[in-house]
């Protein structure tokens, strides 16, 4: 008998599930995610599921973790401070593909060096300039990213720069050619920056998770879910944490398929921070050919073709003052619900809310609180940020008592982005407590916070909502609306026949919206809706998604155990490693294979292709075994580009992709 333990750390809840013989869910449990130390929430969820199942922890043969940590960090703009080494590029390249936005003020140096498209050295690497910069920046950052021009054709300068970073600073370093074999240097650099930013965060999570599982008696090897739904070993995830972006959502797709056996559907997973939507076709999720997109960033990481929206149960509610009626919008940032933070310090939170309710004029920061994140290790904070952090202290404080002027709002935003402090405010989760749909946190604190929020004045001078229940329903209705837009946008993006307009614009088009919920009948008849069924996942899906189905006129599947689909997907997947390489023709009769050790030339096309195929197969198989696979099988795909020249076919370029896949290795019983 095999006994698999799946764990998923979400933005609000950590889920655990036990599956026997890969066929039966025998127990599941939830615990609040402990953001200051995720291992605490993991331990609580695992302890609960083991107790429910009444099994010996030593009988667990496989443990696997899916996490939204990397995804949420990028969506919320969090992560550690890093330095970027750009080799052979220009300053203008920083503005391409959101690279400057991703750096967000972190240090960068642009150096001479790099190679050309054929793998030849374009200029010598400026090692002296690099060493000088590293001496100045080494203590101010947590890690480094290195990207060189055409490093996928010849990685020599990236390898040398990475070695110098390790030698001079001792900090972890991410080299772009390790993360993608594709061209597009600025996009590879962006991926390397995000990877470097996540290394410390993911390493701490895995280390603490392994320690906590060991304390509970679970000795099975720990696997981690990758962004394409495949499993990798914990060590592999430590080295390439960027590959765990969309890990939780990918696991949910695998879990949705396992739970429903559906072949074709939209899968929508609502968590505390994000709503993740993907299309299931023929029982398989598609891999995004452009690379995973998370928030504003398009990476070069292979992941499930999924759209991630900053919309969840803990999305921040914003007041819209435009127009006579006013309104609200949700996200994209997550905040801690007031009902939840009130559990940490009930007296302080209720005293602050009561004092704010007594005021005649609503305050800008009414119903909002702030606290420092325990265990956070801030690096490179400004004097203003240091002073604000000291003022926040160790407890829960009303935000209005901490901020002394509007200039400090920017400093607060930076502290939040660095994961140093956490802000609490009104969320859909608070609204659900007020409406009685949920009763797990402090319902009275939620009621007071929504009363305060409803006091905002519209353009007509009226209160936004005189009663907290009215305010709560308004927030839930907005969640329904934004979820419907997200589903429509994803559906339009995946339609085989285009409509010559961006998907987001099509979803919001007046004709689309007028055709929903009964349609329009005048001189013109308009009826619109979603033709595909939707599989709703997430703990709150059963509460929120029936209204979404009514609005879109679609079938909604809410499977049993859908609230822990991520944890299920974490243990029913396979270990899969893909490796790609390129053969080019720098001159007639010469075929160049681009390898990690540098380019190799051959006189025969077939000889070059076979050499690359053999090399990639060996590497992929070895990496799959290192990633925790057994019974590995290898598949090879060739994409050869040719062109006609002077009435004869000429070789241009070939890409070989090798996929090595196997079941995760389990502990002996």
């Amino acid at each position: 008998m095999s006994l698999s333990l799946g764990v998923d750390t979400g933005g609000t809840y950590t889920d655990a599930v036990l599956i026997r013989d890969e066929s039966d869910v025998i127990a599941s449990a939830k615990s609040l995610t402990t953001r200051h130390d995720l291992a605490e929430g993991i331990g609580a969820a695992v302890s609960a599921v083991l107790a429910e199942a009444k099994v010996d922890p030593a009988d667990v043969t496989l443990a696997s973790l899916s996490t939204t940590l990397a995804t949420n960090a990028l969506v919320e703009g969090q992560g550690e401070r890093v330095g970027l080494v750009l080799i052979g590029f220009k300053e203008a390249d920083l503005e391409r593909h959101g690279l400057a936005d991703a750096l967000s003020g972190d240090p960068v140096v642009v150096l001479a060096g790099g190679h050309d498209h054929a793998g030849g050295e374009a200029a010598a690497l400026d090692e002296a300039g690099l060493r000088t910069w590293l001496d100045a920046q080494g203590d101010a950052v947590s890690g480094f990213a290195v990207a060189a021009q055409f490093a996928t054709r010849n990685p020599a300068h990236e390898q040398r720069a990475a070695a110098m970073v390790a030698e001079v600073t001792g900090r972890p370093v991410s080299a772009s050619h390790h993360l993608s074999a594709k061209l597009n240097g600025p996009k590879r650099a962006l991926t390397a920056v995000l990877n470097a930013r996540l290394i410390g965060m993911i390493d701490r999570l895995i280390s603490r998770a392994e320690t906590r599982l060991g304390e509970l008696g679970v000795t099975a090897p720990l696997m981690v879910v990758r962004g394409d739904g495949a499993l990798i070993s914990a060590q592999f995830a430590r080295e390439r944490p960027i590959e765990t972006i969309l890990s939780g959502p990918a696991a949910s797709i695998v879990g949705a398929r396992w739970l429903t056996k559906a072949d074709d559907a939209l899968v929508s997973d609502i968590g505390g921070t994000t709503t993740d939507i993907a299309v299931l076709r023929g029982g398989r999720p598609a891999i995004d050919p452009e690379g995973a997109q998370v928030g504003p960033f398009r990476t070069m990481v292979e992941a499930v073709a999924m759209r991630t929206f900053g919309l969840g149960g803990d999305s921040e509610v914003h007041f819209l003052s435009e127009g006579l009626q006013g309104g609200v919008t949700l996200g994209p940032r997550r905040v801690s619900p007031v009902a939840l933070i009130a559990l940490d310090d009930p007296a302080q939170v209720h005293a602050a809310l009561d004092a704010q309710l007594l005021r005649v004029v609503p305050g800008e920061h009414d119903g909002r609180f702030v606290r420092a994140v325990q265990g956070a290790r801030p690096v490179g904070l400004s004097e203003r940020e240091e002073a604000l952090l000291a003022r926040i202290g160790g407890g829960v404080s009303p935000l209005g008592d901490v901020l002394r002027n509007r200039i400090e709002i920017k400093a607060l935003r930076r502290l939040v982005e660095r994961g140093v402090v956490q802000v609490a405010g009104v969320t859909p989760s608070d609204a659900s407590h007020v409406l009685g749909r949920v009763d797990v946190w402090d319902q009275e604190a939620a009621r007071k916070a929504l009363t305060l929020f409803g006091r905002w004045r519209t353009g007509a001078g009226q209160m936004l909502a005189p009663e907290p229940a009215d305010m709560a329903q308004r927030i839930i209705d907005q969640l329904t609306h934004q979820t419907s837009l997200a589903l429509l946008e994803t559906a339009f993006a995946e339609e085989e026949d285009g409509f010559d307009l961006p998907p987001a614009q099509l979803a919001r088009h007046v004709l689309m919206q007028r055709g929903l919920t009964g349609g329009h009948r005048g001189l013109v008849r308009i009826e619109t809706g979603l033709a595909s069924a939707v599989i709703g996942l997430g703990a709150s899906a059963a509460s929120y998604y029936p209204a979404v189905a009514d609005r879109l006129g679609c079938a909604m599947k809410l499977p049993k155990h859908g609230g822990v689909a991520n944890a299920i997907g974490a243990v029913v997947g396979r270990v899969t490693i893909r490796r790609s390489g390129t053969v080019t023709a720098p001159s007639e009769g010469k075929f160049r294979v681009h390898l990690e050790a540098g380019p190799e030339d051959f006189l025969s096309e077939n000889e070059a292709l076979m050499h690359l195929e053999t090399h990639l197969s060996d590497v992929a198989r070895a990496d799959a075994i290192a990633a925790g696979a057994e019974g590995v099988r290898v598949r090879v795909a060739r994409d050869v580009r040719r062109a006609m020249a002077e009435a004869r076919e000429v070789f241009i370029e070939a890409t070989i992709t090798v996929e090595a896949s196997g079941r995760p290795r389990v502990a002996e019983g």
Side-chain angles (χ1 to χ4, degrees):
M1 180 189 76
S2 66
L3 192 62
S4 301
L5 170 66
V7 181
D8 174 68
T9 61
T12 303
Y13 284 105
T14 293
D15 303 329
V17 64
L18 279 169
I19 297 178
R20 180 187 290 120
D21 296 331
E22 301 182 18
S23 59
D24 297 316
V25 177
I26 62 173
S28 64
K30 286 181 175 289
S31 177
L32 280 173
T33 293
T34 45
R35 292 174 75 89
H36 64 280
D37 182 0
L38 293 174
E40 289 185 16
I42 291 172
V46 171
S47 295
V49 80
L50 291 171
E52 181 184 333
K54 297 181 175 59
V55 298
D56 185 342
D59 291 339
V60 174
T61 55
L62 173 68
S64 188
L65 174 70
S66 73
T67 175
T68 59
L69 179 62
T71 307
N72 292 349
L74 299 186
V75 169
E76 297 175 13
Q78 296 182 359
E80 298 180 338
R81 195 166 191 260
V82 299
L84 171 62
V85 179
L86 271 181
I87 302 169
F89 294 98
K90 300 176 181 177
E91 293 282 351
D93 290 320
L94 288 169
E95 301 302 323
R96 296 175 58 194
H97 299 287
L99 188 51
D101 292 337
L103 283 166
S104 189
D106 287 358
V108 58
V109 63
V110 180
L111 301 171
H115 293 77
D116 58 29
H117 70 282
E121 186 177 78
L125 174 63
D126 182 5
E127 294 192 16
L130 176 57
R131 188 174 296 276
T132 299
W133 185 78
L134 290 173
D135 287 336
Q137 299 294 336
D139 294 332
V141 298
S142 300
F144 290 87
V146 177
Q149 192 172 41
F150 286 108
T152 54
R153 297 293 170 86
N154 190 334
H157 286 183
E158 276 195 12
Q159 292 167 340
R160 175 57 185 152
M164 289 181 64
V165 169
E167 172 193 334
V168 175
T169 71
R171 303 286 190 186
V173 57
S174 296
S176 77
H177 75 279
H178 285 158
L179 302 172
S180 176
K182 297 179 180 179
L183 297 177
N184 194 328
K187 196 172 175 182
R188 276 202 330 277
L190 168 68
T191 305
V193 165
L194 299 179
N195 189 70
R197 185 156 284 160
L198 295 169
I199 283 178
M201 190 181 296
I202 294 296
D203 180 67
R204 287 192 295 273
L205 168 61
I206 292 174
S207 296
R208 289 288 294 123
E210 289 178 326
T211 299
R212 190 70 188 98
L213 289 175
E215 292 169 351
L216 293 172
V218 177
T219 58
L222 180 65
M223 307 293 288
V224 179
V225 182
R226 205 171 55 192
D228 60 357
L231 305 182
I232 52 177
S233 67
Q235 183 56 39
F236 201 94
R238 280 188 172 98
E239 296 167 359
R240 302 184 184 187
I242 189 69
E243 294 195 7
T244 70
I245 63 173
L246 299 180
S247 161
S252 75
I253 305 302
V254 176
R257 164 67 175 163
W258 191 85
L259 286 168
T260 66
K261 306 300 186 289
D263 289 327
D264 301 287
L266 283 168
V267 181
S268 184
D269 184 5
I270 181 169
T273 306
T274 61
T275 291
D276 307 302
I277 306 175
V279 178
L280 198 61
R281 283 197 178 104
R284 294 173 61 90
I287 301 300
D288 193 335
E290 300 298 322
Q293 171 118 20
V294 182
F297 304 121
R298 173 69 75 175
T299 70
M300 297 190 84
V301 176
E302 285 190 348
V304 169
M306 180 174 295
R307 291 192 169 233
T308 297
F309 301 85
L311 176 67
D314 298 344
S315 290
E316 184 175 11
V317 180
H318 303 275
F319 171 61
L320 296 178
S321 58
E322 295 84 0
L324 295 178
Q325 299 300 316
V328 297
T329 188
L330 310 179
R333 294 185 183 275
R334 176 192 184 274
V335 294
S336 176
V338 176
L340 177 57
I341 204 169
L343 298 181
D344 290 348
D345 194 342
Q348 169 77 319
V349 171
H350 279 278
L353 292 172
D354 290 338
Q356 292 165 3
L357 286 168
L358 291 175
R359 297 173 186 160
V360 177
V361 179
E364 181 181 2
H365 302 298
D366 282 359
R368 303 184 76 205
F369 298 86
V370 64
R371 66 177 172 192
V373 175
Q374 298 178 33
R377 303 179 182 88
V379 175
L381 298 183
S382 68
E383 289 186 13
R384 189 184 301 277
E385 290 160 1
E386 292 275 11
L388 181 57
L389 182 60
R391 204 180 312 142
I392 290 171
V396 177
S397 302
L399 186 57
D401 292 355
V402 171
L403 294 176
R404 293 178 176 174
N405 52 61
R406 299 193 65 83
I407 296 176
E408 290 188 335
I409 293 177
K410 184 176 181 180
L412 176 67
R413 188 180 301 118
R414 288 281 293 172
L415 292 175
V416 171
E417 290 172 350
R418 291 290 181 228
V420 178
V421 304
Q422 185 178 32
V423 172
V426 171
T427 68
S429 295
D430 293 300
S432 292
H433 276 77
V434 170
L435 294 175
R437 298 185 181 186
V438 181
D439 187 19
V440 293
W441 303 330
D442 191 328
Q443 187 179 45
E444 183 61 15
R447 188 192 65 78
K448 291 176 181 178
L450 264 70
T451 300
L452 286 166
F453 199 98
R455 294 168 63 183
W456 284 102
R457 297 285 174 173
T458 67
Q462 303 297 316
M463 290 178 61
L464 183 61
E467 297 294 332
D470 296 334
M471 188 67 252
Q473 189 58 55
R474 194 159 188 166
I475 292 170
I476 298 302
D477 289 346
Q478 183 63 23
L479 179 65
T480 300
H481 175 64
Q482 289 184 222
T483 301
S484 300
L485 290 177
L487 283 163
L488 289 172
E489 182 177 329
T490 303
F492 276 121
E494 296 298 326
E495 283 281 7
E496 294 182 1
D497 297 325
F499 291 85
D500 297 327
L501 286 174
Q505 188 174 337
L506 288 166
R508 292 161 176 78
H509 198 285
V510 62
L511 295 178
M512 185 74 219
Q513 291 299 311
R514 289 290 291 274
L516 295 173
T517 59
H520 168 80
R521 281 174 174 77
L523 295 177
V524 175
R525 183 175 70 249
I526 306 173
E527 294 178 359
T528 59
L530 197 61
S532 171
V534 175
I535 302 173
L537 304 176
S540 60
S543 175
Y544 297 139
Y545 278 12
V548 174
D550 289 342
R551 177 163 180 78
L552 297 178
C554 65
M556 179 67 67
K557 299 180 181 181
L558 300 168
K560 183 181 179 182
H561 303 303
V564 292
N566 294 32
I568 291 171
V571 289
V572 298
R574 295 174 63 84
V575 177
T576 302
I577 298 294
R578 296 181 190 87
R579 292 290 175 260
S580 297
T582 305
V583 176
T584 60
S587 61
E588 188 171 1
K590 181 185 290 186
F591 301 90
R592 180 164 293 172
V593 179
H594 299 274
L595 302 172
E596 175 87 6
E600 291 186 26
D601 291 338
F602 296 84
L603 299 178
S604 160
E605 173 189 333
N606 186 61
E607 187 181 3
L609 292 175
M610 287 303 300
H611 182 79
L612 178 59
E613 182 176 315
T614 300
H615 172 78
L616 292 175
S617 297
D618 291 343
V619 170
R621 184 184 296 276
D623 284 351
I625 293 172
E630 61 182 7
V632 176
R633 295 184 178 182
V634 175
R635 294 192 304 173
V636 179
R638 289 185 178 185
D639 180 16
V640 181
R641 293 173 50 203
R642 305 181 191 276
M644 296 300 296
E646 298 179 353
R648 64 189 182 95
E649 196 173 56
V650 178
F651 176 92
I652 302 297
E653 185 175 294
T655 299
I656 295 179
T657 301
V658 173
E659 181 180 282
S661 181
R663 280 295 301 149
R665 212 164 30 244
V666 298
E668 294 184 6

